[in-house]
Amino acid sequence: DGGITQSPKYLFRKEGQNVTLSCEQNLNHDAMYWYRQDPGQGLRLIYYSQIVNDFQKGDIAEGYSVSREKKESFPLTVTSAQKNPTAFYLCASSARAGAGGYTFGSGTRLTVV
Amino acid sequence: AQSVTQLGSHVSVSEGALVLLRCNYSSSVPPYLFWYVQYPNQGLQLLLKYTSAATLVKGINGFEAEFKKSETSFHLTKPSAHMSDAAEYFCAVREDGGATNKLIFGTGTLLAVQP
């Protein structure tokens, strides 16, 4: 079955370390997205990519970086510059246009200690 | 620019009672609208979507939503709440123009179902 996979489910890191969250999809979707979710704040867009080798900053890109070298993969790196990285991170994908909406992964909960 | 407003960050109903979660949108073009559900520590799952066909849209788990252009609303309803409906619900609108599928989300409504 087609879907979108995020790994790991839980991630613990020490303050000051960079960490990379994985997102892979086999839906043949052109577009992929990263959101951050904090209690009571809904979903905030970090980065998105409409096509391979191209991506755009979302509303809260500072302290994060991404790459899109393959259609199937859109990894997110949380750098040491991110002031408050502890959060739930969601990856999603969609067709580039049309009315399909997003398919979401199951999320990665990052805790920085 | 598009936006969605979800009225009520927390809604509590009794099991068997009507569920009504409110969503109002702002859009300069005919909107594409979505409702998603999120259970604790999981991703979001699509409940239903409106894409300019029938104004009453039926989704999964017995939910439905009615698009009302005059009221710029897309409220989510379910006739009889079940304990398993307890979750967070997000309304979303596709960004203007349709050149992309980028969605703009509301801040969510947490639904509690009391026995």
Side-chain angles (χ1 to χ4, degrees), chain A residues 25-70:
Chain A
Q25 54 98 0
N26 61 2
L27 298 165
N28 200 33
H29 283 165
D30 286 308
M32 297 186 75
Y33 314 82
W34 273 107
Y35 286 87
R36 171 181 172 138
Q37 190 174 26
D38 297 281
Q41 297 198 44
L43 280 72
R44 293 185 288 169
L45 182 63
I46 305 172
Y47 269 98
Y48 64 104
S49 168
Q50 298 292 327
I51 198 167
V52 174
N53 293 322
D54 188 42
F55 49 83
Q56 288 77 41
K57 293 182 179 180
D59 302 317
I60 57 164
E62 185 175 351
Y64 299 97
S65 66
V66 294
S67 62
R68 188 85 188 276
E69 297 176 0
K70 298 187 300 181

Side-chain angles (χ1 to χ4, degrees), chain B residues 91-114:
Chain B
C91 182
V93 62
R94 193 180 71 176
E95 195 175 59
D96 257 340
T100 75
N101 256 333
K102 187 161 161 273
L103 298 182
I104 298 167
F105 288 88
T107 51
T109 297
L110 189 61
L111 175 67
V113 181
Q114 309 298 329

